[in-house]
Amino acid sequence: MPARSFFCMRHGVTDWNRQGLFQGRTDNALNDDGIAQAHAAAERLRAVSVGHVVSSPLSRALKTAEIVAAASSRCVTIDHGLIELDFGSFEGKPVRELMMQHGKTNAQGLVDMLPADSEPWPMSPRARCALSADGWTGIPMTRSCSFATTP
């Protein structure tokens, strides 16, 4: 393993994930399965010397990060630049249904159909630069995530 490694984890599952709904800035909590997934991730990382954990402020990402950080006796740093893309008027609406309405057949098609009131794609400079203030320059972010780095 390199002297310094970087791990990106997506948050555990929420009810909206299970229902296939657009979930951007809406602050949904992890469900029981999501909490179990976070604990499983923490267990997998137990053998890694985690030096720093950074998270989006959204509760689903933050709870995932807190579980991972606790297993490594670390604190979580919240970085607002890591917050999920804003899907505007698509928030809470069924992804598949909207894809069918817009004639899209794959995930790449989502980019072309985002509403005018959503955050632009590719991601905003906010997300691209989220970690640069902490020295993690050059790591593009598109999702509400948590990060763990080795010392």
Side-chain angles (χ1 to χ4, degrees):
M1 186 177 298
R4 187 176 201 170
S5 298
F6 178 83
F7 301 91
C8 177
M9 289 185 300
R10 187 171 187 270
H11 59 78
V13 72
T14 69
D15 289 339
W16 277 24
N17 293 133
R18 289 277 190 246
Q19 295 168 23
L21 304 178
F22 272 99
Q23 176 179 242
R25 297 277 173 88
T26 303
D27 197 10
N28 293 316
L30 297 177
N31 62 21
D32 290 341
D33 290 337
I35 291 170
Q37 290 169 342
H39 283 287
E43 186 60 34
R44 291 192 71 175
L45 287 173
R46 195 172 295 279
V48 176
S49 177
V50 173
H52 194 74
V53 179
V54 182
S55 176
S56 158
L58 293 175
S59 62
R60 59 189 181 264
L62 186 55
K63 182 67 173 178
T64 301
E66 289 169 344
I67 291 169
V68 169
S72 300
S73 300
R74 297 290 178 218
C75 294
V76 177
T77 300
I78 296 172
D79 187 327
H80 291 271
L82 297 177
I83 198 164
E84 173 69 277
L85 189 72
D86 182 350
F87 293 118
S89 56
F90 279 10
E91 284 285 317
K93 295 190 176 164
V95 175
R96 288 182 196 260
E97 183 179 307
L98 287 169
M99 286 179 70
M100 288 181 4
Q101 287 176 8
H102 290 86
K104 305 300 178 184
T105 58
N106 59 48
Q108 183 58 38
L110 292 173
V111 173
D112 301 329
M113 65 181 236
L114 290 176
D117 64 345
S118 72
E119 188 171 7
W121 189 277
M123 73 198 115
S124 68
R126 162 203 55 88
R128 283 194 302 266
C129 299
L131 295 176
S132 63
D134 290 327
W136 311 113
T137 307
I139 301 166
M141 296 310 311
T142 60
R143 304 294 306 230
S144 178
C145 301
S146 303
F147 295 94
T149 63
T150 58

